[in-house]
Amino acid sequence: VAKKGSVRKRTTCSKEGCVSWVIRGGVCTRHGAKLKICSVDGCTKHARKGGVCMRHGLKVKTKTCSVDGCTNGVIKEGVCMRHGAKRKTCSVD
């Protein structure tokens, strides 16, 4: 489990000369990694969580701003940009 704020290092395909990212089993899709397909009949999209694609029912949880009446998405510390979430600025002068 990665620590909060850490960057996940992606590994490259084990085939010589390939620089694509590993999907499954140490190889990329070009070199044999199989991706799961949506379980809905006739759909050929890639399955995400629960065996279905985004179109067929994958629910993405998004939190909303904690200020009453605001429906914007949370950016930082439970609030949206309009209500006080600050973006990180460059520390180099």
Side-chain angles (χ1 to χ4, degrees), residues 35-48 51-57:
L35 293 173
K36 292 182 180 178
I37 303 298
C38 181
S39 60
V40 174
D41 290 335
C43 184
T44 59
K45 292 182 176 279
H46 297 297
R48 297 291 191 133
V52 292
C53 65
M54 294 288 284
R55 178 179 283 173
H56 293 113

Side-chain angles (χ1 to χ4, degrees), residues 4 6 8 17 20 22-23 50 54 59 62 68 86 88:
K4 186 176 182 180
S6 67
R8 179 179 148 200
S20 297
V22 166
I23 301 297
M54 294 288 284
K59 302 291 184 213
T62 56
D68 290 335
K86 303 287 185 203
K88 235 181 188 180

Side-chain angles (χ1 to χ4, degrees), residues 57-75:
L58 180 66
K59 302 291 184 213
V60 179
K61 293 181 182 177
T62 56
K63 293 183 180 180
T64 56
C65 183
S66 60
V67 175
D68 290 335
C70 183
T71 58
N72 292 334
V74 168
I75 301 296

